[in-house]
Each structure stands twice: as structure tokens, then as C-alpha cells.
Amino acid sequence: MAAREAAPAGEPTAPEQGSRAPGLRERKKRQTATRIWQAAVELFVERGFDKVSVAEIAAAADVSKMTVFNYFGTKEDVLLGPMEEHVADAADAVRERAPGESAAEALRRQLLDLIEARDASVGLSDSPRTIQVLRLVTETPVLLHRAHSFHLRRQQSLAAVLAAETGDAVLAEVAAAQLIGVRNAVFAEVHRRRAAGDPLDQVAADAARLARDAFDLVEKGLSGYAVKA
């Protein structure tokens, strides 16, 4: 999103390929969550986030107000809840990297893979709803604040992994801030251009180039840091 720092956001996602297929109850829960999310996005786009109540979202999704709160703790959660599925992405990529691979290399590889896959979590989607969510977050201060909070938790999660490996919590925080800063800068540019209507493939190509250049820049300062034994 503009500004990452506006946020990656998108529809509630399906289970990854190869994972155990969800049962009927789980599928119905996901369908209900998606219906609530879609109804909320339509109302927010039409009238603005601040002018829509949870009761109105519930009515549009044909559920009770209590059901909305059972699935999403706050009105902000209704829109940005899908982000929570990605809060540990960076930490997981570093934790699971191959021996001999640095943290920066692992995160660069992960980000380039997401860009190549046109992943909605990066903002690279042709879905009109994804673009609408990007614009909503960018234009709504309370949502932009929530997005910033998400990025901080992502950084803290990565710092915890690095600190466990290196034994130095302070340097781990410094490294995590730089590495997440690269991701956020790439996301922000993607979100800005997608919200402006730039072509998806061109934005993706430019994002990949920016990701490579930015990680190269950071690696000059992090050379040799957190190389897995």
C-alpha cells in the first residue's frame, strides 16, 4: 500500500496446496468470513470506512452483529484480518533457510518468489477488491496506523529469530529493521503504483528490480551477518 506503508491485504486465503483439505465445518467458517469481508469492502468503498457500522456490515453479509465479532475482533480486523496470515512470513523464511544462506539472501529469495507469483499479499493482484483495499488503507488514518502496527510485529518476529541464532538481541533488532525496511519499501512502491492503476506486469518487473537492488544495498552493510552454519 502506498505509504507499505500501507498494507498487503487481500481476501481471506484458501489453504496451501498439499495441506490437508479442511472439513465441512471449516469450509463453512471460511465462506462466512469471506462473505463478511467482501460485504465490508463494498460498503467501505461506497461510503468510506468511518461511515460504516459493524451492524451494517452484518446486515449486508446476512449474519448477526455477534457473528461479525466472533470472526473479527474489531471493524479494522474485518478489513485487515487477512494480513495476520502473513505476520510471520519473514521470520519463517529466515528460520527455515538453507545452511550457508544469509538472512538477507533468504528474504530476497522469498520476496522475489512472491513477486513472480503475483501474490496478493504483496499487492500484485488484478482483483478489483485488492486495489480497493489498498486505496482504503492509504486514505484512512486508523487503517494506516493498524498497517504500521502489523509491520512492527513482523519486524519483532524476525528480530526474535535472529537474536536466537546470534545471541545479540540489539544487533538482531538493527538487522531486522533494515531487512523489513527493504520489504516495506518494495511493498509501498507496489501499492502506490497499483492504486494509481499502473499495469500489473510492469509493476511486478519494476518491483523485482527494486527488490534486488535494495537487498544488494543492505547486504553491503550486513555482509557476513547471520549466515547459517
Side-chain angles (χ1 to χ4, degrees):
M1 281 176 182
R4 207 164 166 349
E5 250 150 40
E11 290 193 49
T13 57
E16 294 181 1
Q17 291 183 352
S19 62
R20 184 173 59 84
L24 177 61
R25 185 167 181 269
E26 181 62 24
R27 291 200 303 273
K28 287 186 175 180
K29 287 176 63 177
R30 293 186 183 201
Q31 289 168 357
T32 299
T34 298
R35 189 166 72 250
I36 294 169
W37 184 88
Q38 291 174 340
V41 170
E42 290 174 3
L43 288 172
F44 294 153
V45 169
E46 178 183 349
R47 290 159 48 194
F49 179 83
D50 295 329
K51 295 181 180 179
V52 175
S53 70
V54 173
E56 290 170 322
I57 294 170
D62 195 25
V63 298
S64 69
K65 183 177 177 180
M66 183 59 67
T67 296
V68 174
F69 283 122
N70 285 340
Y71 281 84
F72 304 97
T74 66
K75 190 170 74 166
E76 291 83 0
D77 289 335
V78 177
L79 187 68
L80 298 181
M83 289 176 61
E84 299 301 324
E85 300 173 15
H86 303 285
V87 71
D89 284 0
D92 289 343
V94 170
R95 184 185 298 108
E96 298 165 6
R97 70 195 187 282
E101 187 175 38
S102 71
E105 289 168 340
L107 291 175
R108 175 170 49 208
R109 173 172 47 79
Q110 181 193 55
L111 181 52
L112 290 174
D113 286 347
L114 290 171
I115 292 170
E116 182 178 1
R118 305 295 191 270
D119 197 284
S121 71
V122 189
L124 288 170
S125 169
D126 268 337
S127 166
R129 286 195 178 94
T130 297
I131 304 302
Q132 290 167 344
V133 171
L134 294 179
R135 288 174 176 158
L136 277 169
V137 175
T138 301
E139 297 167 359
T140 309
V142 67
L143 295 177
L144 194 56
H145 177 77
R146 170 65 181 272
H148 288 172
S149 174
F150 167 85
H151 299 313
L152 178 59
R153 288 188 290 115
R154 171 180 274 172
Q155 178 178 313
Q156 292 169 335
S157 179
L158 175 58
V161 172
L162 293 173
E165 291 186 4
T166 65
D168 191 322
V170 176
L171 286 182
E173 288 283 355
V174 172
Q178 293 185 58
L179 293 168
I180 294 299
V182 170
R183 290 170 59 98
N184 288 350
V186 174
F187 291 165
E189 181 64 5
V190 168
H191 297 163
R192 181 188 69 79
R193 293 186 56 188
R194 289 301 290 146
D198 289 359
L200 178 64
D201 287 343
Q202 185 59 58
V203 173
D206 292 344
R209 182 165 51 253
L210 174 59
R212 293 188 186 96
D213 291 346
F215 273 112
D216 284 347
L217 181 63
V218 169
E219 278 189 302
K220 292 177 181 178
L222 293 178
S223 178
Y225 178 80
V227 175
K228 194 166 187 178

